[in-house]
Amino acid sequence: MIEVRQLVKSYGPTLAVAGIDLDVAAGRIVGILGPNGAGKTTTLRILTCFMPATSGTAKVNGHDVFRESAQVRQCIGYLPENTPLYPEMRVDEHLHYFGRLYGMNRATRVRRINELTDRCGLGQIRRRLVGQLSKGNRQRVGLAQAMLHEPKLLVLDEPTIGLDPTQITEVRRLIAELGEKKTILLSTHILPEVERTCDDVVIIHQGRIAAQGTPDQLKARLRSRGRTRVELKANPVEVKKALAEVDGVGAVATTARDGWCIATIDAEDEERDIRPAVASAVMSRGWQLRELRHDSPSLEEFFIRVTSAPAGEVT
Amino acid sequence: MKTLIIAQRELSSFFYSPIAYVVMALFMVLAGMLFRPGFASGEPAEMRILFGATVWVLIGLAPAITMRLFAEEQRSGTIETLMTSPVTDAQVVIGKWLGALGFYALLLSPTLVCVVLLEIWGRPDYGPIVTGYIGLLLLGGLYLAIGTCASVLTRNQIIAFVITLVIILVLTVVTHFLQFLLPPSWGKAMLFLNVNHQYEAFAKGLIDFACVTYFVSGILLFLVIAAVGLHSRRWR
């Protein structure tokens, strides 16, 4: 559905997108993840034909975004960041207006708007002025508008930003429902969103793709890097010394809190489980043990690791 | 077709805010005040004074009508949804300009009452009245095209207003004075550029092909600049 090759976009001297290659198969929900200013919005704007790339090519549904922009725009539904809508129009009018711009006749518009009214929960607000809607309702209108002409590809830029937890869940549910039929490309910097809704994750950092894969694949690449955490009652200095002697233990860091010592242990060999050895070392000294657990890495950890490294160095 | 859809939205969006009604009301009061003195027995049954004054009122009015067109869309970000829908730059520019022109035509329409009054109480010469309206529409069309163009260039409505005002003042006041200050050949060129000079023929009841060409080409020029300005986003 989407084919991006060596996409570059510079704003004067600033390189916003520095050579991105991306393939998205039809029917997938792909999340573009990255810190603010990583180039997410720029990439989406190029794909939706709002602005051209400095170099490189991008194809959507087989059409080049530069040369066949009209066809590309016809098959994309786009919800820009912060959901820009005309505040002076009513929800109904707004939807009809864009439906007409997409060349839909009256009967089709009415049918689609009625369908979307149920789907996006617009029932109560169809006659309201857009300018008076809450952020959550604006988002629903924006989503309805993006889906109005039944686009093959839905591009959503930060669809859940500024929503409360209930609304976020609702938008996620909607995206998941839609994802069964459509290809969805969404950008976000909220990690749980990607973990729950997306089939594939693309992490962009400083205009480059830093990592790419399913959420599970990305986490698997981190799994071996988990840490063991021990909480016990003892002198932190002694604990550090004692644990460092345990076979297989690498670095140990200790902190004291409320009279308890919390030690974080990295294994020397990442494949090996050091918990039994640590436990017996603690027992042999007769220290009072409160907790011993292995923290498996989260996508968040992976994200932080990837985005804090200089671009291009992460494998 | 899409041009008309956009024009229709623009036109109706003027009426979402009370300002449109206030402007229309003020214009009607002003028009009435300008029409009344000449509407007496013994005076010629014509609308010259009203038309002549409208030409000047437009200097401040046209920028106010157009300043919102693109500046507001660029500020609020709706330009992104609009330009990523399957419409061309030309359709958007012409649509918005037509919407503004429609509003301006609606603004002028109450003055038709004056024509009715003249018909009832006198025997008006319809030639100058018809050409006067045509001239006003062309002149307004030019000013609105200038305003559309200025609005594309900025996301700030005030700046759009000022740019439009300055260009219009150059075409009306500055060229008027320059024609005396510059050597005769240049002065002639300045006179040609002067909007009021070009409008005179219409006020007299003439439809001069040269004057029509002046306004139409002016409108086209500024609309093309606006479309190019809008398209410049897609450069590089």
Side-chain angles (χ1 to χ4, degrees), chain B residues 8 55 58 63 77 109 120 152-153 167 173 177 185 209 225:
Chain B
Q8 191 190 340
V55 170
L58 263 181
S109 59
I120 295 173
V152 169
L153 304 177
I167 298 177
V173 179
F177 287 111
S185 57
F209 187 66
I225 296 174

Side-chain angles (χ1 to χ4, degrees), chain A residues 9-12 41 45 48-54 69-70 73-74 76 78 80-81 84-90 93-94 97-98 100-103 129 145 157, chain B residues 1-10 12-14 16-17 68 72-73 75-89 96 232-236:
Chain A
K9 172 74 189 178
S10 55
Y11 297 107
T41 300
R45 282 182 172 171
T48 52
C49 310
F50 183 64
M51 48 166 67
T54 310
S69 131
R73 284 182 283 164
Q74 186 70 42
I76 291 184
Y78 178 38
E81 205 172 354
L85 303 167
Y86 297 108
E88 74 273 17
M89 296 177 95
R90 290 182 195 281
E93 292 170 341
H94 212 286
Y97 174 59
F98 277 93
R100 291 173 77 190
L101 287 187
Y102 279 91
L129 282 174
Q145 185 185 306
D157 196 357
Chain B
M1 187 56 210
K2 283 178 184 169
T3 313
L4 290 181
I5 297 169
I6 294 169
Q8 191 190 340
R9 197 207 79 84
E10 284 309 322
S12 51
S13 84
F14 282 107
Y16 289 124
S17 93
R68 210 192 81 263
E72 179 59 18
E73 296 232 18
R75 194 197 56 75
S76 72
T78 45
I79 190 86
E80 210 169 323
T81 5
L82 179 63
M83 297 317 294
T84 51
S85 62
V87 293
T88 64
D89 296 339
K96 282 181 176 279
S232 67
R233 191 173 37 71
R234 296 196 183 150
W235 287 351
R236 262 186 295 173

Side-chain angles (χ1 to χ4, degrees), chain A residues 223-269:
Chain A
R223 178 136 301 153
S224 54
R225 304 230 177 191
R227 286 183 160 164
T228 307
R229 182 184 148 100
V230 197
E231 277 188 48
L232 37 75
K233 202 148 230 171
N235 183 326
V237 184
E238 276 175 44
V239 171
K240 192 163 186 173
K241 214 175 121 197
L243 292 181
E245 286 166 9
V246 175
D247 187 29
V249 167
V252 180
T254 53
T255 49
R257 193 189 298 157
D258 306 334
W260 291 84
C261 169
I262 302 163
T264 324
I265 309 163
D266 285 331
E268 215 165 35
D269 174 6

Side-chain angles (χ1 to χ4, degrees), chain A residues 108-169:
Chain A
T108 323
R109 288 199 313 267
V110 169
R111 178 179 59 79
R112 280 296 291 162
I113 292 174
N114 285 336
E115 281 171 22
L116 290 165
T117 302
D118 296 338
R119 196 145 203 197
C120 305
L122 301 178
Q124 303 293 317
I125 57 169
R126 273 179 61 170
R127 294 297 305 153
R128 299 254 306 270
L129 282 174
V130 168
Q132 294 169 353
L133 297 179
S134 67
K135 177 89 190 156
N137 279 335
R138 286 172 58 91
Q139 202 70 13
R140 293 178 199 203
V141 177
L143 274 170
Q145 185 185 306
M147 297 186 288
L148 192 62
H149 60 289
E150 300 189 77
K152 292 195 176 106
L153 171 67
L154 207 52
V155 178
L156 312 172
D157 196 357
E158 308 261 6
T160 55
I161 203 166
L163 298 183
D164 68 33
T166 332
Q167 294 166 332
I168 291 181
T169 320

Side-chain angles (χ1 to χ4, degrees), chain B residues 127-128 131-132 134-135 198-209 211-212:
Chain B
T131 59
I134 293 173
Q198 297 284 356
Y199 178 74
E200 264 166 34
F202 293 100
K204 284 179 197 149
L206 296 172
I207 294 183
D208 185 339
F209 187 66
C211 299
V212 174

Side-chain angles (χ1 to χ4, degrees), chain B residues 83-165:
Chain B
M83 297 317 294
T84 51
S85 62
V87 293
T88 64
D89 296 339
Q91 282 170 336
V92 174
V93 167
I94 296 171
K96 282 181 176 279
W97 174 75
L98 276 179
L101 192 68
F103 178 71
Y104 166 63
L106 280 178
L107 204 64
L108 282 183
S109 59
T111 59
L112 291 172
V113 173
C114 304
V115 184
V116 175
L117 287 175
L118 287 176
E119 172 60 34
I120 295 173
W121 296 100
R123 267 179 297 138
D125 178 1
Y126 282 108
I129 293 179
V130 171
T131 59
Y133 273 115
I134 293 173
L136 275 187
L137 280 179
L138 284 171
L139 185 118
L142 175 61
Y143 287 179
L144 296 173
I146 294 171
T148 308
C149 180
S151 192
V152 169
L153 304 177
T154 171
R155 56 170 59 195
N156 185 322
Q157 294 195 31
I158 310 289
I159 294 176
F161 181 92
V162 172
I163 294 175
T164 317
L165 188 67

